[in-house]
Amino acid sequence: MQEDASAVLAAGGSGAFEGRRLLSGLDEQLTRYEICPATSGALPTVLLFLDSVGNRLFAAAA
């Protein structure tokens, strides 16, 4: 998800055609995994949670 979100930003964000296309794909992926952000605040919350989990796993492995 982080890579996909970064790709959206690198493509100009939701204000650019390619960014909107990538964001739409990210939304479809989230829906497929039943991560359905009901509000604009839900997506950043999910991304921050997943990022923190990844950081904790990385720190535990070190």
Side-chain angles (χ1 to χ4, degrees), residues 11-48:
S14 62
F17 176 78
E18 183 64 11
R20 280 192 304 276
R21 187 185 71 75
L22 292 171
L23 183 59
S24 177
L26 176 57
D27 181 56
E28 289 176 17
Q29 180 181 3
L30 292 173
T31 302
R32 191 175 324 125
Y33 291 110
E34 297 180 5
I35 302 172
C36 300
T39 66
S40 61
L43 180 59
T45 302
V46 169
L47 293 175
L48 289 170

